Amino acid sequence: MSISPKQLQIKDFDYDLPDEKIAKHPLAKRDASKLLIYKNGEIKTDNFIHLSNYLPEGSLIIFNNTKVVEARLLFKKTTGTTIEIFCLEPADDYADITTAMLQHKKVLWKCLIGNAKKWKDEILVKKILHNGKEIELSVKKISRQGENFIIEFSWNDEQLSFAEILHTGGVIPLPPYMHRDADDEDKKRYQTVYAKHDGSVAAPTAGLHFTGNVFERLSAKNIQRDFVTLHVGAGTFKPVKTETIEAHEMHSEFFEVSVELIEKLINASNQNIIAVGTTSLRTLESLYWMGVKISQQSTVNGQQNITIDDITIHQWDVYELNDENISFEDALHALLEWMKANNLNKLIAKTQIIIAPPYKLKVADILITNFHQPKSTLLLLVAAVIGNDWKKVYDYALNNNFRFLSYGDSCLFFAL
């Protein structure tokens, strides 16, 4: 891919989003949200419950089954000052999020700290109740990395994992644009009905609309479904503050994919592949480019000598790699063979892929997503999928009472 989006001006991906258009609370019913359908330049409106009416029969639909963790922890100093600790991702000591979540007694985590200047070097302690038993949770600052801190969490019950500590003592981290604290409703509704693997600090919001009823309708059209796991980081809310995209550092996120899913994707190469959410899409497209890297390196190094670091997808890789002779099937076959050569039944990796115009999708044909913030990398991704018509789509939504952002309405985009 020879053209890079590095020189794109972020001001060209701006629009006026009044605060009253942002959904602050979910609808009473998940599948009652509105659905905007964009196909071949035309826009239609329906309700999400009728999603299956617009999807090709026999498609393969891919969901992100990550689970949002209660990543906000509040500690009180003896002076009464509140210190907020926001768990971003594990420290580099752990291979992946799941390993870190399953740690017992203590764990190291990268965190943001609210009121950081008022927390010196003292150990902070918080008492939490787990199944009627009082647990003492302590935090200690280890080091600083730019805006982030490495924090050591320790607790006095070796039976409990860190995931259980967060579930008991933490708070769901709602997006900052909601301007409110999480309540009991959010514990259930800021989570997809199929959420499974702890690790996200934000919901894969395109999936929030799905219900058992919607799944039944998909099954009736012989639409298969499968899952990836990408743990959504706080970087998903990070606005682009630079004039050009080149100066913006894209966030990286952990993902997990099974051998069985890759085999299913290869077998679905002649079907429509539907990504539910930008996180699923980023994962699927990353798989293709990892396969490209393996194809190009295996002739030199042999597959067993290629490491996971060799095929990690960095921000600009997909615009600098030459994939002219590598098809979707060839790339995924190369990835599958590399996994088998290395006795891997699950791929655990990080991706920093940035999808922006003029990127053309390699794996997915259709995207289901919500409406995204102005000047965001998520809006850049939408522009890559449907081109400059993103402006027409967003103007239509603003003028037709669609609800925006995480708890907002849904879009169905057929890629150009």
Side-chain angles (χ1 to χ4, degrees):
M1 186 176 292
S2 57
I3 304 174
S4 171
K6 290 182 180 180
Q7 301 312 311
L8 288 176
Q9 302 280 316
I10 195 60
K11 65 180 175 61
D12 294 332
F13 299 88
D14 193 13
Y15 69 94
D16 182 31
L17 178 58
D19 186 67
E20 64 268 18
K21 297 290 186 181
I22 299 172
K24 305 294 175 38
H25 292 271
L27 295 176
K29 292 180 66 177
R30 290 176 183 265
D31 54 22
S33 59
K34 291 172 74 171
L35 176 66
L36 183 150
I37 304 100
Y38 171 89
K39 186 176 184 180
N40 298 327
E42 299 295 321
I43 297 173
K44 294 180 183 178
T45 300
D46 204 332
N47 289 332
F48 194 84
I49 188 66
H50 300 135
L51 171 70
S52 61
N53 294 348
Y54 301 95
L55 300 181
E57 192 163 352
S59 300
L60 173 61
I61 188 167
I62 305 296
F63 298 88
N64 180 7
N65 63 3
T66 187
K67 190 173 187 180
V68 183
V69 294
E70 293 85 346
R72 288 180 66 233
L73 290 153
L74 303 177
F75 288 79
K76 285 274 189 187
K77 293 184 59 175
T78 53
T79 59
T81 302
T82 298
I83 304 296
E84 177 182 328
I85 299 179
F86 186 7
C87 300
L88 295 174
E89 63 178 49
D92 295 335
D93 306 56
Y94 311 99
D96 54 77
I97 286 183
T98 301
T99 301
M101 281 289 179
L102 294 177
Q103 293 298 302
H104 290 255
K105 295 191 72 173
K106 68 177 182 178
V107 70
L108 296 171
W109 217 264
K110 291 180 186 176
C111 302
L112 290 173
I113 299 177
N115 258 348
K117 289 182 180 177
K118 295 187 177 181
W119 182 20
K120 304 306 180 187
D121 295 320
E122 71 268 35
I123 294 173
L124 300 180
V125 179
K126 175 186 181 77
K127 290 189 165 99
I128 60 178
L129 278 178
H130 180 82
N131 293 335
K133 181 181 178 182
E134 189 175 84
I135 309 296
E136 198 170 90
L137 174 64
S138 304
V139 288
K140 178 169 68 171
K141 277 194 283 190
I142 302 298
S143 62
R144 183 164 189 169
Q145 297 180 350
E147 296 180 352
N148 302 334
F149 293 81
I150 301 297
I151 301 296
E152 181 186 87
F153 293 87
S154 58
W155 54 100
N156 62 348
D157 188 332
E158 61 185 23
Q159 302 301 314
L160 295 180
S161 68
F162 186 56
E164 291 170 303
I165 291 292
L166 288 179
H167 287 321
T168 302
V171 179
I172 287 285
L174 289 183
Y177 48 69
M178 287 192 189
H179 303 301
R180 68 175 180 86
D181 291 329
D183 56 29
D184 287 342
E185 177 187 47
D186 298 306
K187 290 180 182 178
K188 182 177 181 182
R189 293 301 303 275
Y190 196 61
Q191 204 82 264
T192 63
V193 298
Y194 48 82
K196 187 175 182 181
H197 300 292
D198 289 311
S200 281
V201 299
T205 55
L208 295 179
H209 310 279
F210 284 85
T211 62
N213 199 344
V214 174
F215 285 136
E216 287 176 13
R217 292 174 180 226
L218 294 175
S219 296
K221 287 194 74 170
N222 193 31
I223 294 173
Q224 291 181 286
R225 57 182 189 268
D226 212 323
F227 300 91
V228 299
T229 303
L230 181 138
H231 295 301
V232 188
T236 194
F237 299 121
K238 184 180 177 182
V240 180
K241 294 183 178 179
T242 56
E243 285 187 18
T244 63
I245 309 306
E246 183 174 19
H248 176 78
E249 183 180 1
M250 187 66 178
H251 58 287
S252 60
E253 292 166 317
F254 280 101
F255 71 87
E256 298 180 19
V257 172
S258 67
V259 162
E260 291 77 16
L261 174 64
I262 295 172
E263 290 172 338
K264 191 175 284 189
L265 289 169
I266 292 170
N267 292 332
S269 60
N270 293 320
Q271 300 166 245
N272 285 281
I273 296 175
I274 304 162
V276 177
T278 57
T279 57
S280 298
L281 185 73
R282 292 179 70 236
T283 304
L284 292 173
E285 297 299 305
S286 296
L287 295 178
Y288 169 82
W289 290 102
M290 294 176 91
V292 169
K293 283 192 168 188
I294 290 167
S295 294
Q296 294 176 347
Q297 295 178 35
S298 59
T299 53
V300 177
N301 301 323
Q303 286 192 333
Q304 286 184 305
N305 294 320
I306 299 172
T307 68
I308 192 67
D309 290 337
D310 294 329
I311 62 173
T312 295
I313 303 301
H314 303 289
Q315 181 161 337
W316 301 112
D317 282 353
V318 306
Y319 306 97
E320 295 166 357
L321 289 166
N322 179 5
D323 70 317
E324 289 178 4
N325 299 314
I326 302 174
S327 67
F328 162 90
E329 296 94 327
D330 288 344
L332 264 63
H333 269 299
L335 179 57
L336 186 63
E337 292 308 310
W338 175 81
M339 289 177 67
K340 289 180 177 177
N342 288 277
N343 298 313
L344 298 174
N345 58 18
K346 182 187 292 185
L347 175 66
I348 299 175
K350 266 189 163 185
T351 182
Q352 197 186 12
I353 190 172
I354 183 166
I355 296 177
Y359 186 88
K360 297 298 180 188
L361 299 184
K362 300 295 186 178
V363 180
D365 306 286
I366 299 168
L367 172 66
I368 297 168
T369 189
N370 283 19
F371 294 94
H372 303 295
Q373 289 179 285
K375 295 185 175 181
S376 64
T377 56
L378 302 180
L379 190 55
L380 290 171
L381 183 150
V382 168
V385 175
I386 63 170
N388 218 36
D389 270 2
W390 76 264
K391 296 176 183 177
K392 181 169 78 171
V393 165
Y394 274 59
D395 283 345
Y396 181 93
L398 287 165
N399 293 324
N400 287 274
N401 297 317
F402 278 76
R403 304 165 76 246
F404 276 61
L405 308 185
S406 294
Y407 274 145
D409 293 316
S410 183
C411 306
L412 173 62
F413 293 142
F414 289 76
L416 296 176

